[in-house]
Amino acid sequence: MNSLNKDLWYEWSSVKACRPYEDEMYGILCGLPQTEMTEGAMFQTARLFVYRRLLALWGKIAVADRSLFIDDIKLVSSQQNGKIFFFVHGRAVEKICDGASGFDAGRKRFWSWGRGFFGSTGSLYIPKTGYYLVMRFPQNGHDEEMLELLRLAKINASVRTKNSNTEIILRDREQIVDFIVWTGCVNTVLALEDKSIMRETQNVQNRMMNCDMANIGKTAQTAAKQLQLIKRLEEEDAFGKFPEALKELIGLRKEYPEATLCELGKKLSRPIGKSTVEYRWKKIYKLASQILKGEGTNVLREG
């Protein structure tokens, strides 16, 4: 799981950016807690790769516009309880917001914003059962934009409030895959599909193993009861009263105590199926009950 998350964020950080770059940058900033300051705003994140992505995109914009400066976005601290604080100058905030205005007019631009928003707020979880993609962010109204984006893509999501934060949650694996494809992280989708196939294969193997263990236990229990009955019949020297076909079956059980009923049927001089073996054992139990005159009823109970 950790490896898949690492691959996801590496791919997200390196996916080819689309113009206008402000769309994705605006999405990143929308998902981060911020504090207004005199000359701009202070943002915080626990993800260094988010800050680096933002800085790389800003570099593309600042190089083309001489009124802007590369250090309009600069790291302030990365040592405060695992949080990274960076400052965005007011002219950079204005440039990003103005450049991203009307981003929802075109679906491709809308998804550039969504990719940035997902990078700053999203997490992918693959517990023992199920799949979860969660976007968690402070209550700042941008959940409505993300929900609208998901609605356009026909992706179902639930919303909840937790510890003063809003969470948008995707639970359907196929829709999670669709969402990640829209963000451009195709390699992560392939890895997720491989993970899904491996999980399903393991589940099938576990079900088969559990079924086999249950069958083995049932076979052992049945054989134990049959052997106990045989021991009682031997103590009473009662085998002479049984037909040859039943005596042959009893003899095979003694010789092969771990065999299934189906295997016993195949070993008879005239092989028979499992249902016929079961029928003959019922006759053995009935005849044994008559011979032993009801003594030891636990032994005579069919398995």
Side-chain angles (χ1 to χ4, degrees):
M1 176 58 207
N2 290 334
S3 175
L4 184 58
N5 257 332
K6 183 178 179 181
D7 292 343
L8 169 60
W9 297 126
Y10 175 80
E11 186 174 14
W12 179 87
S13 303
S14 58
V15 70
K16 183 179 179 181
C18 299
R19 294 176 182 273
Y21 305 124
E22 291 90 340
D23 292 344
E24 185 175 340
M25 295 182 71
Y26 183 52
I28 291 174
L29 297 182
C30 282
L32 299 178
Q34 60 177 290
T35 303
E36 297 294 332
M37 303 185 72
T38 303
E39 296 185 347
M42 186 73 71
F43 293 85
Q44 71 178 62
T45 178
R47 299 172 171 180
L48 181 59
F49 62 83
V50 168
Y51 168 71
R52 289 175 174 170
R53 175 71 173 182
L54 188 72
L55 200 61
L57 293 171
W58 178 247
K60 295 178 183 294
I61 296 172
V63 166
D65 189 337
R66 293 185 178 182
S67 66
L68 305 174
F69 301 93
I70 293 294
D71 63 356
D72 281 344
I73 298 178
K74 58 184 177 182
L75 185 66
V76 174
S77 173
S78 59
Q79 304 298 324
Q80 299 186 33
N81 298 322
K83 296 290 186 181
I84 298 164
F85 291 82
F86 61 91
F87 176 76
V88 181
H89 196 280
R91 56 177 166 262
V93 174
E94 184 178 356
K95 175 66 174 177
I96 293 169
C97 293
D98 288 347
S101 62
F103 69 86
D104 57 345
R107 191 165 182 176
K108 184 177 292 186
R109 291 188 63 188
F110 203 174
W111 273 103
S112 290
W113 173 85
R115 178 169 56 249
F117 190 86
F118 171 63
S120 61
T121 67
S123 297
L124 177 63
Y125 299 99
I126 307 180
K128 290 184 179 180
T129 58
Y131 300 84
Y132 302 91
L133 189 149
V134 180
M135 285 173 277
R136 182 182 298 112
F137 52 98
Q139 290 180 315
N140 52 16
H142 295 295
D143 55 321
E144 294 298 329
E145 285 122 304
M146 176 52 73
L147 289 171
E148 173 65 11
L149 179 59
L150 296 175
R151 186 190 66 79
L152 290 173
K154 294 181 171 48
I155 295 176
N156 298 320
S158 59
V159 182
R160 70 178 182 182
T161 300
K162 183 178 181 181
N163 299 328
S164 300
N165 294 328
T166 298
E167 292 185 346
I168 295 177
I169 306 171
L170 279 63
R171 291 185 171 86
D172 181 81
R173 183 186 65 81
E174 292 185 3
Q175 294 197 332
I176 290 172
V177 166
D178 290 343
F179 179 84
I180 297 177
V181 167
W182 276 105
T183 65
C185 300
V186 178
N187 290 332
T188 300
V189 168
L190 296 176
L192 181 60
E193 294 287 40
D194 287 343
K195 179 79 174 179
S196 176
I197 292 171
M198 290 176 62
R199 171 183 281 187
E200 184 59 31
T201 301
Q202 185 64 50
N203 289 341
V204 171
Q205 291 176 344
N206 289 341
R207 286 195 293 269
M208 291 176 63
M209 183 178 296
N210 292 338
C211 184
D212 289 343
M213 292 300 294
N215 288 337
I216 290 172
K218 186 177 180 180
T219 297
Q221 187 178 29
T222 299
K225 290 182 179 180
Q226 291 171 352
L227 290 169
Q228 192 175 5
L229 174 61
I230 291 171
K231 183 178 179 180
R232 286 290 311 280
L233 292 172
E234 288 177 335
E235 290 173 352
E236 297 293 330
D237 193 22
F239 284 118
K241 300 178 181 180
F242 283 82
E244 289 300 322
L246 299 185
K247 285 196 287 186
E248 183 184 8
L249 184 58
I250 292 171
L252 283 173
R253 171 51 78 197
K254 289 180 61 180
E255 186 177 355
Y256 301 100
E258 297 180 356
T260 64
L261 296 182
C262 184
E263 290 169 343
L264 287 180
K266 292 179 180 179
K267 293 180 183 297
L268 290 168
S269 56
R270 295 183 64 181
I272 57 177
K274 178 183 176 181
S275 59
T276 306
V277 174
E278 289 176 340
Y279 173 73
R280 289 188 181 182
W281 270 108
K282 287 181 180 179
K283 292 179 66 175
I284 291 172
Y285 276 104
K286 183 176 181 180
L287 185 55
S289 180
Q290 295 172 355
I291 294 172
L292 299 176
K293 298 179 181 179
E295 297 178 6
T297 53
N298 288 333
V299 176
L300 300 179
R301 196 171 295 161
E302 293 184 43

